[in-house]
Amino acid sequence: RLNSLIAQAKAEISSPEAEGNALSIANKYYGMGTALEGECDAQMDSLLSQINDELVRTGGDTSVVSQIKSLTKSALMDKYKK
């Protein structure tokens, strides 16, 4: 969904109608990206909570949960750092 959002933003900002409206368009897509990030964070937090609960239940090492979160965030930031 993020790739689609980026493609839409690029297409809109490149259109002739965008002239003089770059800030408005950027703000629009920034808001949409922020909302998408919130959805993703909520889903990730839910999954990490389930993993943590299972590790607690089975006596596993729960420190891996924070490692998963950190590595996932780093990977996403690297992917979209253009």
Side-chain angles (χ1 to χ4, degrees):
R1 289 175 51 197
L2 184 56
N3 287 335
S4 175
L5 189 62
I6 291 169
Q8 289 173 357
K10 285 180 179 179
E12 188 169 338
I13 203 78
S14 299
S15 71
E17 298 83 22
E19 190 172 326
N21 294 319
L23 184 58
S24 169
I25 294 168
N27 284 333
K28 171 182 148 182
Y29 283 97
Y30 177 79
M32 293 167 71
T34 300
L36 186 57
E37 180 183 22
E39 289 177 37
C40 182
D41 286 347
Q43 290 177 7
M44 187 67 174
D45 288 344
S46 176
L47 289 171
L48 291 173
S49 179
Q50 292 173 35
I51 292 169
N52 188 72
D53 291 349
E54 184 65 16
L55 288 169
V56 167
R57 187 183 71 73
T58 60
D61 180 6
T62 58
S63 69
V64 298
V65 174
S66 62
Q67 292 173 6
I68 292 169
K69 186 172 189 171
S70 177
L71 290 171
T72 302
K73 183 175 183 175
S74 292
L76 286 172
M77 294 301 281
D78 287 345
K79 181 176 179 177
Y80 292 102
K81 201 189 292 184
K82 293 180 187 176

